[in-house]
Amino acid sequence: MERKILIEVDGSPSSFNCIDYVANISSVVNNLIYSLHYVHPTISSFIQEEALKDQKMRKEFLKIKKKNEQHAEDLLAKAKEKMLKLNISEKHIEVLHDEKKLGLAKDIIFKGENGLYDAIVMGRRGLTRSQEFFMGSTTKEVIDHAKKVPIWIIDGKIKSLKILFASDGSASSMRAVDHLAFMVGGNENVEIVVYHVMANFRKYCEISFDTPPSDIKSVITQNEKGCIDDFYHHAFRFFKEAGITENQISLKTEKRSLSIANGILDELKRGSYGTLVIGRTGIHASSFM
């Protein structure tokens, strides 16, 4: 079965890192179709309006439009050439460029959802050295509003093929399992670690403070264990149906008194993973990111 991904190209180093990543991950994700996509910059609305009334302005409008199209074709040709050098078959690559209509992020989402792509691939920008990161406005807007298609965010040069799946037992996390199983299904070389950070019981304010602290911790731990065990049962069924064996999957659970996010980041570093799979939102629609 073919898997289609939409790769956003803008000429930045970050977008070319996306090409490196998808070429590398092709050894894990079989039958990939790559759509290299570019959205033209906006032509001034004043020029567009005047072009309808004035012949001179119309020529200027067409000149700018042609220049934008040529820039898009040159940029996409460069991206395609890079993919060919990375041993991606030309018959699996297509190049697409569109004029900006709704706004950059909305146009990308529209293309991804209406083109029935299995993922939108984008680079991450605006990085800092602190553990908290800030995404480029377009990338963040796509993440916030693309509800029907998974988003792959690529950061830097990535070589490792190990996959870390960070689970919290939520419905969103199960949808992420479905996506991962579909993308890597049938590949006997894929290696997945399913990772869960146990919640800090002190953060649960809805439990009565009349209950002894030891009992509170016990109740939360038991409930969470039951929830995650049930999640694992369904997740393994997804993986098995996709052709991934139990030998390719390992489970790791950690109790942590500090940030869950920091726990995931620490595991990423310890395990030298190349990919983190994570749901959009957590339990009770809390932001997992």
Side-chain angles (χ1 to χ4, degrees):
M1 183 181 294
E2 291 182 349
R3 287 91 163 167
K4 290 173 55 182
I5 58 175
L6 186 69
I7 307 165
E8 293 304 318
V9 178
D10 61 8
S12 66
S14 130
S15 70
F16 281 99
N17 284 339
C18 292
I19 294 173
D20 287 327
Y21 175 81
V22 297
N24 190 40
I25 206 71
S26 64
S27 62
V28 173
V29 182
N30 298 325
N31 301 320
L32 268 176
I33 301 298
Y34 309 85
S35 294
L36 298 168
H37 183 233
Y38 176 78
V39 180
H40 296 215
T42 304
I43 300 177
S44 164
S45 58
F46 171 77
I47 293 178
Q48 294 186 57
E49 291 171 6
E50 290 299 310
L52 299 173
K53 301 180 288 184
D54 183 84
Q55 186 66 24
K56 185 177 179 181
M57 289 301 293
R58 177 168 175 77
K59 288 182 179 179
E60 183 64 22
F61 170 76
L62 293 174
K63 180 180 177 182
I64 296 172
K65 186 177 180 181
K66 185 176 180 180
K67 182 179 178 181
N68 285 347
E69 290 175 350
Q70 188 60 56
H71 174 71
E73 290 170 4
D74 291 345
L75 187 60
L76 290 168
K78 184 178 179 182
K80 182 177 179 179
E81 182 182 2
K82 182 177 178 63
M83 294 201 78
L84 293 173
K85 289 181 178 178
L86 292 169
N87 298 317
I88 302 300
S89 172
E90 186 171 10
K91 68 180 181 180
H92 290 166
I93 307 170
E94 63 176 350
V95 294
L96 308 166
H97 56 91
D98 298 302
E99 294 182 10
K100 188 190 293 185
K101 296 177 181 177
L102 305 173
L104 184 54
K106 290 181 180 179
D107 288 339
I108 291 170
I109 295 169
F110 181 86
K111 192 74 174 182
E113 293 182 349
N114 288 272
L116 301 179
Y117 286 93
D118 296 303
I120 296 173
V121 185
M122 303 181 70
R124 202 180 98 188
R125 307 185 187 93
L127 299 176
T128 68
R129 290 188 177 275
S130 63
Q131 289 181 312
E132 184 177 5
F133 63 83
F134 297 89
M135 291 189 177
S137 57
T138 300
T139 307
K140 184 179 185 303
E141 193 173 348
V142 170
I143 289 174
D144 287 344
H145 299 288
K147 305 299 184 184
K148 299 178 182 178
V149 58
I151 311 299
W152 295 5
I153 305 300
I154 314 304
D155 177 14
K157 300 286 186 181
I158 302 166
K159 299 297 181 183
S160 173
L161 295 176
K162 286 181 63 179
I163 297 172
L164 178 66
F165 179 82
S167 161
D168 67 350
S170 65
S172 180
S173 197
M174 186 57 73
R175 287 193 293 272
V177 168
D178 186 27
H179 175 64
L180 176 59
F182 172 73
M183 295 305 292
V184 303
N187 193 317
E188 61 184 18
N189 297 316
V190 68
E191 179 184 354
I192 302 170
V193 175
V194 179
Y195 180 70
H196 176 68
V197 180
M198 297 290 285
N200 180 353
F201 80 97
R202 287 173 296 182
K203 295 180 180 179
Y204 281 73
C205 59
E206 67 268 26
I207 295 179
S208 171
F209 288 103
D210 294 331
T211 306
S214 58
D215 292 344
I216 293 175
K217 187 173 182 179
S218 175
V219 168
I220 293 174
T221 301
Q222 289 176 12
N223 287 345
E224 185 171 6
K225 186 178 184 304
C227 173
I228 205 65
D229 285 347
D230 187 52
F231 175 87
Y232 286 155
H233 172 75
H234 290 289
F236 272 99
R237 179 171 57 83
F238 273 77
F239 287 132
K240 184 178 180 180
E241 290 175 355
I244 303 168
T245 67
E246 289 190 19
N247 293 333
Q248 295 173 259
I249 306 169
S250 56
L251 303 177
K252 190 168 186 179
T253 302
E254 181 181 359
K255 293 183 179 179
R256 197 173 180 92
S257 59
L258 299 175
S259 165
I260 291 176
N262 286 341
I264 295 169
L265 289 172
D266 288 346
E267 176 61 24
L268 277 170
K269 294 173 185 176
R270 284 194 302 267
S272 299
Y273 300 91
T275 301
L276 166 66
V277 180
I278 193 168
R280 178 184 302 279
T281 54
I283 295 173
H284 306 309
S286 61
S287 175
F288 200 33
M289 291 192 67

